[in-house]
Amino acid sequence: MMYLFPLLPKHRKGPKFSMGVPLGRQKQSSTRVEEVISLYKPVIFNHLQFRIRYHRASPQSVSDLSAVGDNDQYRVVGFEVKPRSDENIMTNGVLEGCETDEPGKEMELHPSDPVGQIITFSYDVEFVEDQELHWATRWDPLLVTDQAEVSFHRRYLLYSLLITFILSFLVAMVLARTVYLDYARYDNLDSADEIEAESGWKQVHGDVFRPPEYKEYLSICVGCGTQITVIVVITLAFSLLGFWSPAYRGGLLTSLILLWVLTSVLGGFVSALLHSEFGGKNRKVVTLGSAFFFSGSMFVTFFFVNLVLSFAGSSAAVRFLTLLQLLLLWLALSVPLNVFGAFLGYKQKLREYPCPTNPLPREIPEYSKIPPRAFCFLSGSIPFLIVFMELQFVMEALWQRNAYIMAGVLCGVFMLLMIACVEVSLVLSYLILSQEDYRWWWTSFWSSGSSGLYVFCYGLLFFLGNQNLGSMHLASVCLYFCYTVLISEGFTLMTGAVGFLASRVFVRRIFAAVRVD
């Protein structure tokens, strides 16, 4: 049984359904002055029109029910609610407004003096026999998407594809041509004087694979980001195949928790492998960091939000037993699997770098007054532009009771996002190396990972654009910002890990193809 609140947009002939029933809304106004005056005058829906759809079930489909005759067995296939606000629903103790759909005077709340205000709540029920809507397809009305929305998704997907194509063309032209000319120029240098006078990325061959600063943290971030990327890929693949449905309540969240536990092996493996490649000695720090960094952030955030909801008396608060089960699932399964993956990573045979590292680091010339961090922050806007509009639909599905069913479009946008992260990271890493700056490790991570900062800024703008901002409870604000920070952190780790791994392969390839004396 489900509650469906029908919305009637102008571009649809039929109703569009949304999960849940709102308690009210802000009063509509025809002028800006009236809007300002009535900003804190909410309208409450005090009358609910229930429409229960049922169909006559066949004996085969109700074999588990108590048989009282084939003609007397029915199944409820739809539960629709249409709320209405009517101040004159009751006159002289008699309900009179239930039989009409014509809007009357709306029931306004008076927050300045709510004591003594009498509100009459009422409802009416209509039973409708619907033989076309079956039990297996009872969720179809919620999953119907109007053509205008589909057309918008397609246009935005083409827009993202165009941006990615232009970026790919520039990357191919600049890198392919530049790297090819660099190869030709370096191969034609014979004398030592010519080689010493030459400048460019080949001059840092003795320092390009020097371990970065804070290599433990970089290993942890890349390991967690790789784990998040694999989880997102698997989730989108199953969504594209139609495995996730609103009919299975909590199915997506349960699957994400199980995937996180099972992929903990991969997170620990990647972190340990990178730490060994950097020549690090703090194995315990990296192993425990990959097991507790993002997982601990999720658990602490969830525990804090649940604590706030409990003090606020919200029904959305999770029971203590459920929190204890999640804690045991994390500590008893996820952490041991992560440690096992780290053990396998430390046992792997390391690939040698194409160029040996000099004992002493070379001096980095000053090549720009703008620090590389600024370029990293600006480059993160490109991956964000790829997912900008689709992120709006995802945020509406998370916070405004809308069902997101465009799994194919989301998979396409995710693929374009990965391509953009790779290309942005490659370009910025090459530009850094071309200026004889061998500190490309963190640059390759933040060049694409900085898009998570744009995601957080968009979440802030999405919150400020909420029409009900003035009447939001403190617990709701806390829940929104805590989860927005967590989503932004996960997005940063995912995009940063993809960009770093791509740049790592790229740098290995270009230095393996040059002649080093």
Side-chain angles (χ1 to χ4, degrees):
M1 186 175 295
M2 60 183 177
Y3 294 91
L4 299 177
F5 169 56
L7 303 174
L8 294 173
K10 296 180 180 180
H11 56 269
R12 283 183 60 96
K13 295 181 180 180
K16 179 182 179 181
F17 295 96
S18 175
M19 297 291 294
V21 182
L23 296 178
R25 58 171 174 78
Q26 294 291 340
K27 183 180 179 181
Q28 295 180 350
S29 58
S30 57
T31 63
R32 179 62 179 172
V33 177
E34 293 180 3
E35 182 179 351
V36 174
I37 294 176
S38 61
L39 182 61
Y40 297 102
K41 289 185 179 180
V43 173
I44 189 169
F45 295 139
N46 60 333
H47 181 74
L48 300 179
Q49 296 175 321
F50 295 98
R51 177 176 295 176
I52 302 177
R53 297 184 180 273
Y54 66 93
H55 75 100
R56 193 181 303 273
S58 60
Q60 292 81 8
S61 62
V62 291
S63 57
D64 57 331
L65 301 177
S66 58
V68 292
D70 295 344
N71 297 329
D72 297 328
Q73 295 177 348
Y74 299 91
R75 268 188 168 174
V76 176
V77 294
F79 198 105
E80 304 172 4
V81 183
K82 184 177 180 180
R84 181 160 59 94
S85 179
D86 193 346
E87 186 176 2
N88 301 322
I89 196 71
M90 176 176 289
T91 305
N92 297 326
V94 180
L95 292 175
E96 295 183 352
C98 297
E99 299 179 356
T100 178
D101 292 335
E102 296 181 1
K105 186 177 180 181
E106 295 178 333
M107 173 65 71
E108 298 180 4
L109 292 180
H110 303 289
S112 59
D113 186 20
V115 180
Q117 184 178 3
I118 300 176
I119 301 177
T120 302
F121 290 92
S122 60
Y123 68 92
D124 60 76
V125 184
E126 178 186 6
F127 291 88
V128 178
E129 184 174 0
D130 192 345
Q131 291 299 124
E132 297 181 357
L133 187 61
H134 300 281
W135 176 259
T137 59
R138 66 191 185 279
W139 288 88
D140 287 356
L142 183 63
L143 305 180
V144 173
T145 306
D146 56 272
Q147 292 299 321
E149 185 175 347
V150 173
S151 178
F152 178 82
H153 279 279
R154 290 176 179 174
R155 288 197 302 269
Y156 178 72
L157 185 60
L158 293 176
Y159 157 76
S160 302
L161 185 61
L162 179 61
I163 294 179
T164 307
F165 177 77
I166 295 175
L167 184 62
S168 302
F169 180 77
L170 294 176
V171 170
M173 291 295 295
V174 173
L175 292 186
R177 180 177 175 83
T178 305
V179 173
Y180 177 77
L181 292 178
D182 288 343
Y183 284 152
R185 185 172 68 252
Y186 290 137
D187 291 339
N188 293 328
L189 298 178
D190 296 328
S191 64
D193 295 336
E194 291 179 345
I195 295 177
E196 186 176 356
E198 187 63 33
S199 63
W201 54 270
K202 187 178 181 294
Q203 298 303 309
V204 297
H205 63 84
D207 299 273
V208 66
F209 296 110
R210 186 177 301 278
E213 295 181 346
Y214 311 108
K215 51 183 175 293
E216 293 84 6
Y217 300 108
L218 182 59
S219 302
I220 293 172
C221 291
V222 175
C224 293
T226 305
Q227 183 181 359
I228 296 173
T229 305
V230 173
I231 292 175
V232 173
V233 169
I234 296 176
T235 303
L236 290 178
F238 277 92
S239 300
L240 192 61
L241 297 175
F243 283 90
W244 311 133
S245 172
Y248 303 101
R249 298 195 61 182
L252 179 59
L253 182 59
T254 303
S255 302
L256 288 176
I257 295 175
L258 293 179
L259 285 175
W260 181 263
V261 172
L262 296 178
T263 55
S264 298
V265 178
L266 181 62
F269 178 83
V270 174
S271 298
L273 186 62
L274 281 178
H275 187 62
S276 299
E277 187 176 296
F278 294 150
K281 302 300 181 182
N282 298 327
R283 293 189 172 186
K284 293 183 179 179
V285 174
V286 174
T287 302
L288 296 179
S290 61
F292 287 91
F293 175 53
F294 190 69
S295 300
S297 301
M298 288 192 298
F299 184 81
V300 170
T301 301
F302 184 75
F303 180 80
F304 175 74
V305 169
N306 190 73
L307 187 65
V308 172
L309 293 177
S310 299
F311 279 110
S314 174
S315 60
V318 179
R319 296 179 302 171
F320 176 77
L321 181 61
T322 304
L323 286 176
L324 185 61
Q325 291 174 349
L326 291 175
L327 183 63
L328 292 177
L329 188 66
W330 175 31
L331 298 179
L333 289 179
S334 178
V335 173
L337 287 176
N338 194 286
V339 173
F340 177 70
F343 173 79
L344 296 179
Y346 290 128
K347 292 297 182 181
Q348 292 294 312
K349 183 179 180 181
L350 300 178
R351 294 175 54 192
E352 294 184 358
Y353 288 128
C355 306
T357 303
N358 295 332
L360 298 177
R362 63 179 282 129
E363 183 180 356
I364 301 174
E366 184 179 355
Y367 54 89
S368 176
K369 296 182 179 179
I370 303 177
R373 296 184 182 89
F375 292 105
C376 291
F377 177 75
L378 294 176
S379 62
S381 61
I382 298 178
F384 174 73
L385 288 176
I386 301 295
V387 300
F388 168 65
M389 289 304 301
E390 208 61 33
L391 182 62
Q392 177 182 356
F393 290 99
V394 174
M395 295 288 283
E396 290 177 355
L398 287 175
W399 305 108
Q400 295 183 358
R401 310 184 313 274
N402 296 334
Y404 187 89
I405 59 175
M406 305 293 292
V409 176
L410 188 60
C411 289
V413 172
F414 178 78
M415 293 176 60
L416 296 179
L417 172 65
M418 295 294 102
I419 295 174
C421 291
V422 170
E423 293 171 346
V424 167
S425 182
L426 292 185
V427 171
L428 213 59
S429 298
Y430 177 78
L431 294 177
I432 289 292
L433 293 175
S434 297
Q435 301 299 325
E436 300 184 21
D437 188 352
Y438 54 85
R439 300 170 300 182
W440 63 274
W441 301 97
W442 279 107
T443 301
S444 63
F445 181 87
W446 284 111
S447 58
S448 55
S450 59
S451 56
L453 301 177
Y454 289 90
V455 172
F456 176 78
C457 294
Y458 176 79
L460 180 61
L461 294 177
F462 185 86
F463 174 79
L464 295 177
N466 189 358
Q467 298 179 354
N468 301 324
L469 180 61
S471 58
M472 288 187 65
H473 195 275
L474 180 61
S476 300
V477 177
C478 178
L479 184 145
Y480 177 84
F481 276 103
C482 287
Y483 284 149
T484 300
V485 170
L486 193 62
I487 292 173
S488 303
E489 180 186 0
F491 196 86
T492 298
L493 294 175
M494 179 184 67
T495 53
V498 171
F500 172 83
L501 295 176
S503 295
R504 176 173 171 269
V505 174
F506 170 74
V507 173
R508 277 181 172 271
R509 290 290 181 88
I510 63 174
F511 279 93
V514 298
R515 176 168 53 90
V516 179
D517 297 330

